[in-house]
Amino acid sequence: MTTKNFAGGDEALPEDTEMRLYARAYASPQSADALFLKWEGAHAHAMLLEASPERVFSDHGLNGRQLAEGARIAARRMALLMGETPTPLREVLALKVHAYEAMGQLEGEVARSHAVIMLEAAMKADAERLGIVLMPLDQPFGRTQ
């Protein structure tokens, strides 16, 4: 972004690459169920790839462990996008809860990323708005309320 002119004018407008990014973001809002399906696919792929951690995927120049981590990163992004928009629908809240529970059970996930914590905050806010009390069956992630 050009920073020469803070007062405004065309020089302060975003550059073309930034404008293209903003146009794509505006044109491609995704529903929670579509984001959930993308999250679910990436999450499943991470588990499949991690089953063969040393296998080299020469087309991509990475091994199974590395690609599994890439799939987890993609899953986290989908989970964050799912959590971003408040929902008035119990069904969407259920998708967020499912993603939270699945991600939270991954060993070391909270140490690698705050996505689980952020998704937890989003689902709790949605539940409160919907008048739903979320009760943990236990505290599998080593955290307390």
Side-chain angles (χ1 to χ4, degrees), residues 14-38:
E15 294 177 1
D16 184 61
T17 55
E18 295 163 322
M19 292 288 243
R20 289 174 192 267
L21 170 66
Y22 305 151
R24 282 192 314 272
Y26 178 79
S28 65
Q30 298 182 38
S31 66
D33 52 346
L35 290 168
F36 179 80
L37 290 174
K38 289 179 179 181

Side-chain angles (χ1 to χ4, degrees), residues 21-145:
L21 170 66
Y22 305 151
R24 282 192 314 272
Y26 178 79
S28 65
Q30 298 182 38
S31 66
D33 52 346
L35 290 168
F36 179 80
L37 290 174
K38 289 179 179 181
W39 168 82
E40 189 175 47
H43 184 72
H45 291 156
M47 290 186 286
L48 290 169
L49 289 163
E50 201 157 54
S52 302
E54 301 305 321
R55 178 179 170 191
V56 175
F57 293 83
S58 56
D59 288 352
H60 306 287
L62 299 171
N63 65 30
R65 181 179 297 111
Q66 293 164 322
L67 287 169
E69 184 57 25
R72 277 192 293 277
I73 291 167
R76 288 180 199 122
R77 289 179 181 158
M78 293 304 111
L80 290 171
L81 288 172
M82 232 184 352
E84 177 196 16
T85 304
T87 185
L89 303 173
R90 289 173 175 259
E91 297 81 6
V92 173
L93 174 58
L95 297 176
K96 292 178 184 184
V97 169
H98 179 77
Y100 164 77
E101 289 176 342
M103 290 171 65
Q105 291 178 15
L106 297 173
E107 186 177 328
E109 183 65 15
V110 174
R112 284 192 297 267
S113 167
H114 289 168
V116 173
I117 296 166
M118 295 164 72
L119 187 56
E120 178 184 23
M123 71 179 204
K124 285 181 176 180
D126 286 343
E128 184 177 324
R129 192 175 308 103
L130 289 165
I132 297 171
V133 176
L134 298 175
M135 300 291 293
L137 298 176
D138 55 21
Q139 293 293 326
F141 314 137
R143 300 185 35 194
T144 58
Q145 296 290 8

